[in-house]
Amino acid sequence: MNIQFADRMNNLQASEIRELLKLAERPEIISFAGGLPAPELFPVEAMKVVGVKVLEEQGMQALQYSATEGYGPLREKIAARMAAIGVNATADNVLITSGSQQGLDFAGKVFLNEGDIVITERPSYLGAIMAFKAYSPEFVDIAMDDDGMDMAELERVLTTRDRVKMIYVIPDFQNPTGKTWSVERRKQLVELANRFDLPIVEDNPYGELRFEGQRPPAVKSFDTQGRVLFLGTFSKTFCPGMRLGWTLGEGELLNKFVLVKQGADLQTSSLGQRELNQFMEDYDLDEHIATIREVYRSRRDVMLTAMETYFPKVEGLTFTYPNGGLFTWVELPAHMNARELFKRALEKEVAFVPGGSFYPNGGYENTLRLNYSNMPEEKIKEGIKRLGEAIQEMM
Amino acid sequence: MNIQFADRMNNLQASEIRELLKLAERPEIISFAGGLPAPELFPVEAMKVVGVKVLEEQGMQALQYSATEGYGPLREKIAARMAAIGVNATADNVLITSGSQQGLDFAGKVFLNEGDIVITERPSYLGAIMAFKAYSPEFVDIAMDDDGMDMAELERVLTTRDRVKMIYVIPDFQNPTGKTWSVERRKQLVELANRFDLPIVEDNPYGELRFEGQRPPAVKSFDTQGRVLFLGTFSKTFCPGMRLGWTLGEGELLNKFVLVKQGADLQTSSLGQRELNQFMEDYDLDEHIATIREVYRSRRDVMLTAMETYFPKVEGLTFTYPNGGLFTWVELPAHMNARELFKRALEKEVAFVPGGSFYPNGGYENTLRLNYSNMPEEKIKEGIKRLGEAIQEMM
């Protein structure tokens, strides 16, 4: 048997990382690898109440097919919440998706022909890279500093390359680096997109998990022409297992996403959408998020303090101090390889994600991502200590 | 603003049908249009119990990220159920998808380059046509008789065309025609696929809803080489709003679907999967399906009897007698147009789906699909009477 797959499948290899991470699933492992929320904070009790209520009051509708765009009252609530980051929207601007991951797949499907260019940050989110790769684009990744994407480099690329079709950014507590774009850069990005007539996909799973300071306005808030698609999710603020996210946009752009959603899976779970909506009616989601923030802030502090304490003090070893989100990002001295470090750390029963996979065009194997949301503080401290030893042994 | 979409978006126009059907959503309309299950049969009370139990016993896992492939115990149960149609499978052969619609999208993504040929029945399922169109294939549709696809025509196409990449069939109570393939044709299909080394996508949402006779073995049951992908769903046997389906296959083919699922939406709802699994543990799904069958059988009888009574007896007006599933299929005399009939019927507050959209290459506007699962018997009778009058008026 020699069945021919579509050419795009050559871009989608089973990730080496995924295989590595299977090794990290043993319960004795201290894992900083996944991007898992803390499950002990999931609103399990509230969900019981909410689930029964939805079935009691609207059981038939909750189990029946429903509109591709999503459940009206939930779309309304999402639109209203966007005001906090300067975005005026109505329910009509919101398409409910199965996590924001689905919005990433749709962005690739809507915008990318084979060989088209997608602009990303360098590094960028692994899952977005994987979603876009299915559409066989060329990735042009742009350097980042602590204020976001390098705008001069972006402008140079936009000026010199003519197949750019889409700009993809994660401006708040970026995955993997934990960095946040300045307000100025956000404005500049929209200006450049206006000038070169390009869509922006703003992926924002972590913005609500801010530990310090003010939440900046969304890139979308500076969009006067309807060219920014904002991807949001309840995976980090509510729970990921229900796969509830959204794409917010306008007019023809959002319509294209709706069309694609129809063919992809018709709609997101009617029951799940109504349960979340009921939760938002009967409970205080912001209060719930405040609790998550408090726990993660403390875990971040423990991790960073431990890193300061236990990581070798050597030239070229740096890490980020995120003000929110789930991750810190480590750069090792250039000669070191984080995949090698992974193996050594695993012997010490500690896991993380080697950073190379976050670079769409490869390289940068001296980097790694650490997650602090999923482990209790004692384990974070112990895990970082062991990781420090593993690094030391490789020096 | 003149944002460039991917070329594939030219294939995906907002369907005229969808717009027409919005007109049919008023509650006073007797609708034979959608493919909606009867919501009064949804296991609402059981779902309350099951939902609380899952959250009580496995709340954190049910709300957390989980494996792309799906929840193990549910995959096991699905594999075991496949024995009823001659398929030996284990949990490893099952990928949980967000409805079988998602499996259709994945089939397109895994197999189709632009311009590749996908073979379908003529007519075929609208949602599959839409899903495949996103990958810009050429559709070659093969004539059907009452025993399934015309094998001589299929062989001729496979012999003369060299870009055929995939064969898509709905062998049980086909949507839209309600026809079922004979066992002999199923065997012949697999033989041809073996000879021409092609994958088969067997879409089977309705097989369990058989009113008379024995359920035939799946096309998959004759597959000795692992080239048939079987798409199943709980949308018609449990409830569609939870978006729970599966793709069953082997080895590299199934692996490709898993890879694509990762990029598309990571996984299907952990909670939804566990609720369904719990339902299957604590309740008798087969008994539940027997109830659905009983109700739909009776509605089919009422609809067909009414059609015999109220439709004009003229040359060229025919309809199918399905032994299961949700639909009967009407062919009007060749000079009549079902879109025109739709408008006239709507004035009488009756709706259906004009059949042209089920032909990937257009034409056949004298056809229409009638659904009998979603309306009570009195309304079916009244609706068919009015539809008969509308047809009569157009003669």
Side-chain angles (χ1 to χ4, degrees), chain A residues 204-318:
Chain A
N204 199 321
Y206 313 110
E208 291 174 272
L209 300 180
R210 170 172 285 278
F211 312 143
E212 295 102 8
Q214 280 288 96
R215 202 171 167 202
V219 171
K220 177 73 188 162
S221 74
F222 301 109
D223 175 27
T224 55
Q225 306 185 352
R227 64 175 67 253
V228 178
L229 291 148
F230 180 100
L231 309 187
T233 180
F234 290 96
S235 290
K236 308 304 186 295
T237 54
F238 182 61
C239 65
M242 292 176 70
R243 315 304 303 126
L244 293 165
W246 71 91
T247 298
L248 182 141
E250 280 97 18
E252 194 48 26
L253 260 72
L254 190 67
N255 285 347
K256 296 290 189 204
F257 277 64
V258 175
L259 273 179
V260 160
K261 171 90 179 160
Q262 266 188 277
D265 64 359
L266 299 179
Q267 54 155 118
T268 292
S269 168
S270 312
L271 181 59
Q273 291 185 66
R274 284 170 192 258
E275 286 172 337
L276 171 56
N277 179 68
Q278 197 67 53
F279 178 85
M280 290 170 81
E281 281 187 10
D282 296 349
Y283 296 83
D284 187 338
L285 178 59
D286 287 316
E287 198 177 287
H288 178 64
I289 294 172
T291 308
I292 298 175
R293 258 199 308 258
E294 217 36 51
V295 172
Y296 291 4
R297 187 183 54 69
S298 179
R299 290 181 182 182
R300 174 210 57 181
D301 289 345
V302 169
M303 180 173 273
L304 288 172
T305 304
M307 289 165 83
E308 284 160 9
T309 310
Y310 297 117
F311 276 16
K313 273 111 203 127
V314 291
E315 178 84 21
L317 196 165
T318 62

Side-chain angles (χ1 to χ4, degrees), chain B residues 145-326:
Chain B
D145 61 29
D146 288 343
D147 286 331
M149 200 179 254
D150 179 331
M151 286 295 132
E153 190 178 327
L154 175 62
E155 186 173 359
R156 200 159 51 240
V157 169
L158 296 181
T159 307
T160 55
R161 303 294 308 266
D162 45 320
R163 290 194 64 183
V164 178
K165 292 291 284 293
M166 157 178 134
I167 304 172
Y168 169 69
V169 297
I170 312 149
D172 289 44
F173 314 124
Q174 199 231 21
N175 183 353
T177 64
K179 290 179 183 175
T180 294
W181 288 40
S182 70
V183 174
E184 194 48 34
R185 291 282 172 90
R186 292 168 196 244
K187 285 185 196 166
Q188 290 169 344
L189 177 68
V190 174
E191 280 161 22
L192 281 173
N194 285 342
R195 209 171 109 203
F196 291 90
D197 203 4
L198 289 168
I200 295 170
V201 176
E202 176 179 20
D203 187 10
N204 200 321
Y206 313 109
E208 291 174 273
L209 300 180
R210 170 171 284 278
F211 312 143
E212 295 102 7
Q214 280 288 96
R215 202 171 167 202
V219 171
K220 178 71 188 163
S221 73
F222 301 110
D223 175 26
T224 54
Q225 305 185 353
R227 64 174 67 253
V228 179
L229 292 148
F230 180 100
L231 308 188
T233 180
F234 291 96
S235 290
K236 308 305 185 294
T237 54
F238 181 62
C239 66
M242 293 178 68
R243 314 303 303 128
L244 292 165
W246 71 92
T247 299
L248 182 140
E250 280 97 17
E252 196 47 26
L253 261 73
L254 190 67
N255 285 347
K256 296 290 189 205
F257 277 63
V258 175
L259 272 178
V260 160
K261 171 90 178 160
Q262 266 188 275
D265 64 0
L266 298 180
Q267 55 155 119
T268 293
S269 168
S270 312
L271 181 60
Q273 291 185 64
R274 283 169 192 259
E275 285 172 338
L276 171 57
N277 179 68
Q278 197 67 53
F279 178 86
M280 290 169 81
E281 280 185 10
D282 296 349
Y283 297 83
D284 187 338
L285 179 60
D286 287 316
E287 198 176 286
H288 178 64
I289 294 173
T291 308
I292 298 175
R293 255 197 313 255
E294 216 38 49
V295 172
Y296 291 3
R297 187 183 56 69
S298 179
R299 290 181 181 182
R300 175 209 58 181
D301 289 344
V302 169
M303 179 172 274
L304 288 172
T305 304
M307 289 165 82
E308 284 160 9
T309 310
Y310 298 115
F311 277 16
K313 273 114 203 122
V314 292
E315 179 85 18
L317 195 164
T318 61
F319 45 88
T320 56
Y321 285 78
N323 293 118
L326 272 59

